[in-house]
Amino acid sequence: MDGGGLKSVAIIGAGITGLTAAFNLNRRGIPVTVYEAGSRVGGVIQSIRESGYLAEFGPNTILETSPKIGQLVRDAGLESRRLDPDPKAEARYVVRYQRPIAMPASPLGFFTTPLFTARAKLAVLREPFVPRRRDGKEESVAEFVARRLGQEFLDHAIDALVAGVYAGDPYKLSVPQAFPKLAQLEAQYGSLIKGQILGARERKKRGEVAKDRAPKFSFDEGLQVLPETLRERLGGAMRLNTTVTRLAQTESGWVLELSERGQETRAEHSAVLYAGTAHKMAELGLETRAELSFRPFSEIRYPPVASVVLGFRREDVVHACDGFGMLIPRVEGFKILGTIFSSSLFPNRAPAGHLTLTSYVGGERYPELASLPPERLFDLTCADLRVILGVRGKPTFQHSVFYPKAIPQYVIGYGRYRQLMADIEAKAPGLFVAGHYRDGISLSDSMVSGCNVADRVEAYCRACMESGTARTT
Ligand SMILES: Cc1cc2nc3c(=O)[nH]c(=O)nc-3n(C[C@H](O)[C@H](O)[C@H](O)COP(=O)(O)OP(=O)(O)OC[C@H]3O[C@@H](n4cnc5c(N)ncnc54)[C@H](O)[C@@H]3O)c2cc1C
C-alpha cells in the first residue's frame, strides 16, 4: 500500500503501545502521526544513566510472552543491543519472618521450603480436589486464592505478588479480569495445578510462553532504548508536547483538537488510535454519530507509586542479593512493596563494587506514602532494607520518581469498561483503543496490544482505500 490518498492515522500517546502500533503501521506503508502530551517518548518507561548507575523507574524487564515481542525487537534493529539477565539471577524471594526466603523452584523445593507451614502445604496439595465454582460469581483474587489454596498462601505469597505486579490489593482485583489465566485454568481443568501441567502443552502449540517461564530481557542502556529507537525509526511523524483534547467524527474521518505548547490547533485524520491512559482518555471530548462517551473511564483507579532507586557499596549489604528481587506481603509490616536486585539482574547497572536496589512505595497498600518528599522515601526505604537485607551505611546513589497514577486496577466489574472500549471501536468506525488499560497491564501485554491494534487499523485503512472513503480529495 503506498498510502496515497490516505490521511495519516493519528496515534495518541507515545508510550510503548502507541509507538509499537505506529512503528508497525509505518513499516506497512500506512502514514501515521504520533501525538504525545509529554516532552519525551516511552510513557512510564524511564531509564537514566548517572554517576555510573543505570536506574529504571518504570518497568525493569520485558517478558517475552509472545513471538511478536522478539519480532518487534528484530524489526527495530535492536537485536544486538538486547541484554539477557544473568542466568544466576533466577531466584525470587518472598519476605517471611522479616527475612527473604527463596521461592521454591521445584515440587521438592515446595515441600522443604520454610516459606510455608505444613498446614499451608497440605492446603496446596488438596487444590486439585477443591470443586470448581459454578455459580458464575466474579471473585476477587483473595476469595479465589483462599478458596482454592488457603488463607496462608494468600497472605504470604499472593498478596505479595499482587503488590509486585499491580501495586494492587487482592481483595479488590478481579480474578477473571486481572489474572484471566487462573480463571481459565479452573474453568477448563477444574484445578490450577492440573491446568498448569496440561495447559503447558497447549501453550507450546500456540507458540506462547507462560509469564512465569517467559524469558526476560532489557537493553544495554535500559528499556528506554526501545521507545527511543522506535521514535527514530518514525522520523518526522512524532509531535511531542502536543495534547489531543477532543475527537470529532466527520464524513471522511476524524478531526482532532490539539493543544501544542499553549497553541490550539486542529488536524484531520482518516483514523485515530487512542493509546494513552484511561484517566486521560476520560478527559478527552468525543463527538461521534453514535452516542458514545469516554467519561466512564474516569472511574478506573490508578493508585500512586514511587520508584526508589538506591546504590550501595557491596560490602555495606549483608544479603547476597543474588536473584531477581523480593516481594513483601502486607502481613510482614514493612512500608516498601518489594525490591528488584537490579544490578544482579543486568551487568551494567552499578559501578564496580556497588549494587543497585529498586524499591516501590505506595500502591493500593499505602497510597499516602508514594507522594512523600524524596528524602523521606529514601529514609523509609533504607529502614526496611536495613532489616530485610542487612543494608548498612549511606546510599552512594539515590533517586526517586513519583507516578501519581501508576497502574490501572482491574477490579471486580472491570469487564464493563472493556465492553465499553469494544463498543466504541464497533460503533465509531476508524476509532481504536488499545494499551495497558484494555489488554493487560504488563509491558509485554502493551507491546502485543500495539501489534494487534496495528492489524485492526491496517485492515480498516485498506477497506477505506478500496471503497474510496478515506481519500483526501
Ligand atoms: C512504576 C511502574 C513499574 C512497572 N513495572 C513493570 C515491570 O517491571 N514489568 C512490566 O511488564 N510492566 C511494568 N509496568 C507496566 C508497564 O510499564 C506499562 O503497562 C506500559 O509501559 C504501558 O504502556 P502504554 O503505552 O500503554 O502507556 P503509558 O506508558 O502510560 O503511555 C501513554 C502515553 O500517552 C500519553 N497521552 C495520554 N493522553 C494523551 C493525550 N490526550 N494526548 C497526547 N498524549 C497523551 C501520555 O503522556 C503517555 O506518554 C510498570 C508500570 C509502572 C508505572
Side-chain angles (χ1 to χ4, degrees):
M1 179 149 52
D2 65 4
L6 188 76
K7 286 180 200 136
S8 70
V9 175
I11 296 186
I12 306 172
I16 202 63
T17 304
L19 288 171
T20 300
F23 176 74
N24 277 328
L25 287 168
N26 199 44
R27 269 173 66 84
R28 297 175 206 166
I30 311 251
V32 295
T33 306
V34 183
Y35 297 103
E36 167 54 52
S39 57
R40 47 177 282 282
V41 296
V44 299
I45 300 173
Q46 272 196 73
S47 332
I48 64 152
R49 164 107 29 222
E50 207 180 282
S51 319
Y53 288 91
L54 177 58
E56 289 283 9
F57 297 99
N60 272 254
T61 51
I62 301 175
L63 281 180
E64 201 169 354
T65 47
S66 153
K68 292 181 184 182
I69 292 168
Q71 191 61 48
L72 178 75
V73 171
R74 283 189 293 280
D75 290 345
L78 281 173
E79 192 63 9
S80 63
R81 299 190 63 187
R82 180 182 163 136
L83 201 60
D84 294 314
D86 184 339
K88 294 198 292 295
E90 271 300 301
R92 285 164 180 267
Y93 293 88
V94 176
V95 172
R96 186 153 193 192
Y97 314 115
Q98 310 265 296
R99 65 189 165 95
I101 298 178
M103 268 164 70
S106 66
L108 181 65
F110 177 73
F111 291 114
T112 55
T113 180
L115 193 53
F116 305 112
T117 63
R119 207 167 144 205
K121 289 175 192 174
L122 269 178
V124 172
L125 285 179
R126 274 198 299 269
E127 193 275 338
F129 308 102
V130 175
R132 74 185 85 189
R133 185 156 199 147
R134 293 184 191 274
D135 62 5
K137 180 183 178 232
E138 185 179 355
E139 274 182 311
S140 71
V141 174
E143 273 176 285
F144 178 88
V145 173
R147 178 171 63 78
R148 297 212 63 86
L149 296 157
Q151 188 69 31
E152 185 179 329
F153 201 75
L154 168 65
D155 290 343
H156 290 276
I158 300 303
D159 175 77
L161 178 81
V162 164
V165 175
Y166 277 88
D169 177 348
Y171 288 86
K172 294 183 185 158
L173 293 183
S174 149
V175 177
Q177 294 298 323
F179 294 95
K181 296 225 164 104
L182 289 187
Q184 277 157 21
L185 287 182
E186 182 182 56
Q188 197 174 344
Y189 302 98
S191 151
L192 305 182
I193 294 175
K194 272 196 256 167
Q196 197 59 32
I197 298 162
L198 299 173
R201 276 184 229 145
E202 281 157 35
R203 273 196 300 276
K204 201 168 169 194
K205 256 192 253 158
R206 292 196 300 265
E208 287 172 14
V209 190
K211 283 198 165 127
D212 58 340
R213 302 253 161 83
K216 304 181 256 311
F217 67 95
S218 181
F219 298 96
D220 50 3
E221 288 301 310
L223 288 175
Q224 190 78 40
V225 166
L226 180 59
E228 268 165 17
T229 305
L230 295 176
R231 179 203 172 165
E232 273 165 34
R233 303 283 183 269
L234 285 166
M238 178 69 55
R239 285 180 59 184
L240 295 175
N241 301 302
T242 307
T243 303
V244 178
T245 55
R246 188 175 176 78
L247 309 178
Q249 193 176 19
T250 64
E251 282 303 311
S252 61
W254 293 84
V255 171
L256 271 57
E257 289 181 17
L258 312 169
S259 171
E260 191 169 6
R261 298 173 203 268
Q263 290 242 327
E264 310 302 315
T265 50
R266 287 155 80 91
E268 286 182 40
H269 294 276
S270 294
V272 182
L273 162 60
Y274 185 78
T277 60
H279 55 92
K280 287 282 173 203
M281 180 158 64
E283 293 171 12
L284 207 57
L286 178 63
E287 196 184 311
T288 49
R289 266 168 266 149
E291 230 176 84
L292 296 166
S293 168
F294 287 139
R295 211 90 20 89
F297 301 123
S298 66
E299 296 157 15
I300 296 177
R301 180 163 161 75
Y302 283 64
V305 171
S307 304
V308 181
V309 181
L310 300 175
F312 294 97
R313 275 181 290 273
R314 182 54 274 191
E315 66 266 25
D316 284 345
V317 182
V318 174
H319 193 272
C321 299
D322 53 346
F324 182 86
M326 59 180 186
L327 296 167
I328 308 177
R330 180 193 285 263
V331 287
E332 287 292 310
F334 293 102
K335 296 205 168 88
I336 58 174
L337 303 174
T339 301
I340 294 178
F341 303 155
S342 311
S343 52
S344 302
L345 205 53
F346 297 111
N348 60 350
R349 288 343 193 206
H354 292 72
L355 53 76
T356 317
L357 300 172
T358 305
S359 304
Y360 300 94
V361 178
E364 287 292 49
R365 201 182 282 173
Y366 301 121
E368 68 288 357
L369 297 184
S371 56
L372 287 176
E375 285 306 325
R376 294 206 39 210
L377 287 173
F378 302 146
D379 287 349
L380 75 81
T381 305
C382 281
D384 282 356
L385 296 179
R386 203 168 299 131
V387 178
I388 308 170
L389 299 177
V391 166
R392 300 179 290 239
K394 289 228 167 288
T396 49
F397 174 86
Q398 50 187 30
H399 204 115
S400 68
V401 167
F402 175 47
Y403 292 89
K405 289 180 184 279
I407 296 172
Q409 302 296 298
Y410 291 2
V411 294
I412 291 173
Y414 197 88
R416 69 177 178 275
Y417 303 116
R418 285 179 150 154
Q419 186 56 52
L420 189 53
M421 291 173 211
D423 286 350
I424 287 174
E425 271 199 25
K427 292 180 186 162
L431 176 56
F432 299 86
V433 176
H436 62 275
Y437 49 83
R438 183 174 187 188
D439 296 324
I441 59 137
S442 74
L443 194 52
S444 43
D445 291 335
S446 303
M447 291 164 75
V448 172
S449 174
C451 291
N452 292 343
V453 77
D455 293 344
R456 303 201 295 277
V457 174
E458 182 187 9
Y460 174 80
C461 291
R462 284 185 190 281
C464 287
M465 289 185 79
E466 272 158 29
S467 67
T469 51
R471 304 239 148 221
T472 41
T473 50

